[in-house]
């Protein structure tokens, strides 16, 4: 929640490396240009896709979360 999502992405990148592509839901804490989440995406040059609203089938991993 909140700023923690940016730290979670940082932890993931430190442990497993940066993903080539990341699909996320576009929450406000992710979208802001000055958030840690957005900084990590730019720093590691991660390609992104924002899933559409109410489209759970767009990202197959959302069904298991």
């Amino acid at each position: 929640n909140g700023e923690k999502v940016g730290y979670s992405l940082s932890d993931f990148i430190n442990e497993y490396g940066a993903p080539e592509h990341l699909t996320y839901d576009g929450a406000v804490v992710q979208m802001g240009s000055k958030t840690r989440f957005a900084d990590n995406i730019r720093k590691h040059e991660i390609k992104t896709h924002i899933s559409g609203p109410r489209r759970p089938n767009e990202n197959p991993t959302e069904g298991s979360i």
Side-chain angles (χ1 to χ4, degrees), residues 17-54:
E20 291 180 23
H21 188 271
L22 179 65
T23 299
Y24 60 98
D25 65 359
V28 175
V29 296
Q30 299 165 336
M31 297 291 293
S33 61
K34 297 183 180 185
T35 63
R36 181 174 294 276
F37 186 84
D39 288 343
N40 279 318
I41 288 173
R42 283 190 299 274
K43 178 181 175 183
H44 298 286
E45 299 177 353
I46 300 170
K47 296 177 185 168
T48 62
H49 174 75
I50 300 172
S51 60
R54 296 173 290 286

Side-chain angles (χ1 to χ4, degrees), residues 3-21:
E3 186 66 22
K4 292 181 183 180
V5 70
Y7 289 108
S8 296
L9 182 57
S10 294
D11 292 343
F12 181 87
I13 291 170
N14 288 333
E15 290 185 32
Y16 303 105
E20 291 180 23
H21 188 271

